[in-house]
Amino acid sequence: DAKTTQPPSMDCAEGRAANLPCNHSTISGNEYVYWYRQIHSQGPQYIIHGLKNNETNEMASLIITEDRKSSTLILPHATLRDTAVYYCIVRVRSGYSTLTFGKGTMLLVSP
Amino acid sequence: DAGVTQSPTHLIKTRGQQVTLRCSPKSGHDTVSWYQQALGQGPQFIFQYYEEEERQRGNFPDRFSGHQFPNYSSELNVNALLLGDSALYLCASSLEGPSGETQYFGPGTRLLVL
């Protein structure tokens, strides 16, 4: 699976949009971009995934560049409960493919 | 719809002992993966079970073994515990198929080896 690069930490004011970047310049054509987050001492929570089109669900939006070498996870109105470590993972979408976690981005949402 | 559940939530063992952790997958899921997360690190893949067989394995010694039951629940066994086995153990379940495979995690079992 391709590797990803994320900033180690980011800050965001409550109520503002949080934009978390991820670089995956070696991504292959059949690899998807997945985002998970982990609130302290809890299990990782699935957020969203995409291949090449932008995706949106009730939690977040995922913007993937046209060359697929980077993506941005957007939390439109961050709350204090969004404070967590956010992991960007690229993987082939198959049952055989596991998740390779990096260090992620620690997002701190402040009042 | 119950999510992934794990038991126990916390466990304390001493070096050399053996431990068994349990996982019940999300309803309708048939594949279980186990991960180890040391303090301050991202989760590391241990192994995956599908159709009661170990399908994939990460870079973990044979002291780590597992099992999947006909109802898709799974166990992780660790023998001859070392201090370095202290970690959060995570179970993730998914549904095998051409449009599934998103893994959903349980809350984890925190193991402390003294």
Side-chain angles (χ1 to χ4, degrees):
Chain A
D1 293 334
K3 294 191 182 298
T4 62
T5 303
Q6 300 178 253
S9 64
M10 294 184 65
D11 294 325
C12 180
E14 189 177 21
R16 303 297 294 268
N19 297 279
L20 292 91
C22 179
N23 287 321
H24 32 78
S25 59
T26 60
I27 191 170
S28 301
N30 63 344
E31 288 183 312
Y32 285 70
V33 180
Y34 281 77
W35 284 83
Y36 284 79
R37 72 181 182 184
Q38 187 172 26
I39 297 169
H40 183 62
S41 294
Q42 298 182 20
Q45 178 187 22
Y46 165 76
I47 302 172
I48 198 168
H49 73 276
L51 181 62
K52 54 184 177 181
N53 297 321
N54 297 338
E55 302 288 345
T56 296
N57 62 20
E58 65 279 2
M59 290 184 66
S61 295
L62 174 60
I63 308 298
I64 302 174
T65 58
E66 191 170 345
D67 63 7
R68 302 186 68 239
K69 293 185 177 181
S70 65
S71 61
T72 301
L73 179 74
I74 301 172
L75 308 178
H77 305 287
T79 70
L80 299 179
R81 288 177 295 179
D82 292 322
T83 292
V85 177
Y86 286 77
Y87 296 100
C88 169
I89 300 166
V90 293
R91 67 182 284 256
V92 174
R93 192 179 180 188
S94 80
Y96 280 85
S97 178
T98 61
L99 296 169
T100 302
F101 289 81
K103 295 185 183 298
T105 295
M106 175 64 216
L107 174 68
L108 177 63
V109 181
S110 302
Chain B
D1 179 21
V4 180
T5 59
Q6 293 186 243
S7 63
T9 56
H10 295 81
L11 204 51
I12 299 174
K13 293 287 189 178
T14 56
R15 281 181 299 174
Q17 285 190 311
Q18 178 264 343
V19 69
T20 298
L21 310 181
R22 295 175 176 82
C23 171
S24 291
K26 184 177 171 68
S27 178
H29 284 186
D30 57 7
T31 303
V32 173
S33 302
W34 287 92
Y35 294 79
Q36 179 197 65
Q37 186 173 25
L39 202 60
Q41 304 295 316
Q44 301 296 308
F45 173 70
I46 302 175
F47 44 53
Q48 183 183 80
Y49 277 84
Y50 172 67
E51 292 188 340
E52 302 180 48
E53 298 279 338
E54 182 183 292
R55 177 160 70 175
Q56 278 203 91
R57 189 177 184 92
N59 188 26
F60 279 80
D62 292 344
R63 297 186 298 108
F64 289 77
S65 63
H67 188 80
Q68 185 179 36
F69 299 94
N71 67 352
Y72 308 119
S73 66
S74 176
E75 288 182 348
L76 164 65
N77 301 292
V78 186
N79 295 321
L81 284 166
L82 304 174
L83 296 180
D85 295 331
S86 295
L88 179 67
Y89 288 86
L90 296 159
C91 167
S93 74
S94 55
L95 175 62
E96 180 73 9
S99 60
E101 309 94 25
T102 295
Q103 294 187 16
Y104 295 87
F105 285 82
T109 293
R110 173 112 15 224
L111 172 65
L112 178 60
V113 182
L114 301 176

